[in-house]
Amino acid sequence: MMTATQTRPTDIRQAVILCGGIGSRLGALTEAALKPLLPVAETPFLERLLFEIGRFGLDRILFLAAHRADDIRAFAAEACPRLGLTFEIAVEPDRAGTGGALWHARDHLDPVFFLFNGDSWFDVNLLDLATRLEPDDLAVLALREVEDAARYGTVTVDGPRVRRFAEKTGSSAPGLVNGGIYVVRRDLVDALSPSCSLEANGLAPLAETGRIAGRRYDGFFIDIGIPSDFERAQHAIPAAQRRPAVFLDRDGVLNEDRHYVGEIERFCWLPGAQEAVKTLNDAGVFVFVVTNQAGVARGFYDEAAVNRLHAFMQAELRTIGAHIDAFRYCPYHPDGTVLAYARPSDWRKPAPGMILDLLSHWPVDTARSFLVGDQDHDVAAAHAAGLAGYKIAGGESLDELVRARLASA
């Protein structure tokens, strides 16, 4: 059986969110709503955070609540099923602090889990952070250099090791700060108590022993804890969540085209394909797969087989800290032998239906998006959807292609 120290990124599904704070610095704003539930461009901040968490395959949410826990429960009961997530709520007695909240929820924690501050968003590749957790680490933190570290305690690092956490100085100077995203081993809770600070009483002492790691990222970061940043969030967060996307054909682009690949046993990644997905994830770009799957219509395999293969691809990618945001496939063909699928479809490339469906469900910046395929009909579908399209040449590395396109954007 795999132990906690052997847990891989592919195994981490639990996201724990600290949402018990009162939000006193926001004054009258938090009289009507809890800080994580305050609206950002008419959508609760916590819902925007859940969207980012869920797209990385973290589908089991544990809310650590305290003040007005029933508000969190009502929100979760409505939002989580709509976002395809399951949830639990652990309510701390009184005000236990960030460390105490974890201590009281210890029986609900997976051996390794993601932990998020419920009032900040840091746009990083979460799965990349998970790959940075070494066997002897109790946690790895996402770190961010900020121009004004006055409101934050700063972090001192030595290579990948976090060595020290400093208290807030109030000095308006640049500094490296804790970005509020952690990958944590449950064993860390042994260093906590029923009422304590996670950073001061848990992470800081453990950092001195060399058991806390950190990884620098430079993605969008915001903490809505003060009025000026909450106001800035109204425009900055929706703008940051509207990303470019790269649409990838499957057979002949990501994997060898062995004609109607429907079984996992026949699937073989092309060189540079997995690396390309990771490159795009690290760049903060949505990654979608759009693939014609006429093998279903022709009776070579069924839709369940397509979904199994896509789940296998996702699991393989997660082991290197990568993922596909969404898959779309077209099982129809006018010459199909399976009656239910023997018809034309506006999802079948060169028609743009799959792309248009994704554009209707995801906040995509189409002007900065493109498609990569290996056939003329892939490029035609992209153009029909209003996107740039590129045809990969035989033997060309997908990773090199996407790096070149990103560099020229």
Side-chain angles (χ1 to χ4, degrees):
M1 180 178 294
M2 182 168 290
T3 66
T5 58
Q6 295 172 309
T7 300
R8 300 182 302 265
T10 187
D11 301 314
I12 304 175
R13 297 288 178 176
Q14 186 182 47
V16 180
I17 305 177
L18 292 161
C19 48
I22 294 177
S24 57
R25 291 181 298 175
L26 287 170
L29 286 169
T30 49
E31 291 178 5
L34 279 170
K35 179 167 56 172
L37 298 181
L38 287 171
V40 172
E42 302 183 351
T43 298
F45 174 80
L46 194 52
E47 182 168 335
R48 292 187 177 276
L49 183 61
L50 288 176
F51 167 78
E52 297 296 334
I53 290 170
R55 74 184 189 89
F56 286 93
L58 307 179
D59 51 12
R60 295 172 42 243
I61 311 299
L62 173 62
F63 297 97
L64 303 187
H67 175 62
R68 294 166 65 174
D70 285 345
D71 291 356
I72 296 293
R73 184 174 287 107
F75 163 80
E78 190 282 324
C80 287
R82 177 163 45 81
L83 295 170
L85 308 171
T86 62
F87 74 94
E88 294 181 87
I89 296 180
V91 182
E92 66 191 63
D94 302 318
R95 295 187 63 188
T98 52
L102 274 176
W103 189 90
H104 287 288
R106 61 195 182 280
D107 292 338
H108 299 269
L109 300 174
D110 284 359
V112 183
F113 57 93
F114 276 91
L115 177 67
F116 298 86
N117 290 349
D119 58 359
S120 63
W121 174 41
F122 191 6
D123 186 17
V124 305
N125 178 357
L126 299 179
L127 301 182
D128 178 79
L129 182 65
T131 67
R132 309 298 170 171
L133 186 72
E134 298 294 338
D136 291 333
D137 293 337
L138 287 176
V140 58
L141 284 59
L143 307 176
R144 179 67 153 82
E145 189 81 26
V146 297
E147 292 183 2
D148 183 356
R151 338 173 7 207
Y152 311 99
T154 55
V155 177
T156 301
V157 297
D158 177 12
R161 301 289 103 203
V162 174
R163 296 300 185 187
R164 190 168 70 91
F165 292 84
E167 296 291 334
K168 300 175 186 178
T169 65
S171 174
S172 298
L176 187 64
V177 304
N178 174 0
I181 302 176
Y182 320 71
V183 179
V184 182
R185 296 196 192 279
R186 187 174 56 200
D187 294 345
L188 182 146
V189 179
D190 294 340
L192 304 175
S193 63
S195 181
C196 69
S197 161
L198 171 62
E199 189 167 288
N201 304 115
L203 298 177
L206 289 168
E208 294 178 1
T209 70
R211 302 201 66 188
I212 304 298
R215 176 71 173 175
R216 295 172 184 252
Y217 297 95
D218 60 4
F220 176 87
F221 172 71
I222 193 167
D223 178 336
I224 64 166
I226 61 174
S228 60
D229 278 347
F230 177 69
E231 181 61 29
R232 181 168 68 91
Q234 302 304 314
H235 304 285
I237 289 179
Q241 289 190 310
R242 186 170 180 265
R243 297 178 170 88
V246 175
F247 299 77
L248 301 173
D249 180 43
R250 199 190 77 181
D251 303 335
V253 174
L254 289 170
N255 58 282
E256 293 181 7
D257 188 352
R258 296 178 172 179
H259 304 293
Y260 302 111
V261 177
E263 299 80 25
I264 293 171
E265 296 76 17
R266 297 187 64 231
F267 182 90
C268 182
W269 291 101
L270 284 168
Q274 294 178 82
E275 293 82 358
V277 176
K278 176 70 160 52
T279 293
L280 294 167
N281 295 155
D282 291 345
V285 174
F286 290 133
V287 184
F288 303 127
V289 168
V290 287
T291 174
N292 288 346
Q293 288 299 310
V296 175
R298 297 184 185 278
F300 298 135
Y301 45 83
D302 58 17
E303 288 195 69
V306 176
N307 290 322
R308 282 194 299 270
L309 181 50
H310 290 168
F312 167 79
M313 292 172 64
Q314 201 75 291
E316 291 261 292
L317 287 166
R318 286 175 69 90
T319 63
I320 65 165
H323 79 290
I324 301 293
D325 283 291
F327 291 84
R328 293 292 188 272
Y329 67 91
C330 180
Y332 302 103
H333 194 286
D335 299 327
T337 59
V338 179
L339 184 61
Y341 298 100
R343 64 173 179 81
S345 171
D346 61 5
W347 275 38
R348 180 171 174 79
K349 294 176 289 185
M354 289 185 285
I355 300 171
L356 295 176
D357 183 70
L358 287 163
L359 293 177
S360 72
H361 287 90
W362 291 77
V364 174
D365 182 349
T366 55
R368 296 189 293 155
S369 301
F370 61 89
L371 175 145
V372 180
D374 68 326
Q375 302 292 331
D376 290 338
H377 64 239
D378 297 318
V379 176
H383 293 167
L387 303 178
Y390 302 97
K391 185 176 174 181
I392 194 168
E396 184 178 5
S397 166
L398 179 62
D399 193 37
E400 292 178 359
L401 187 154
V402 299
R403 285 181 184 275
R405 300 317 316 169
L406 292 174
S408 65

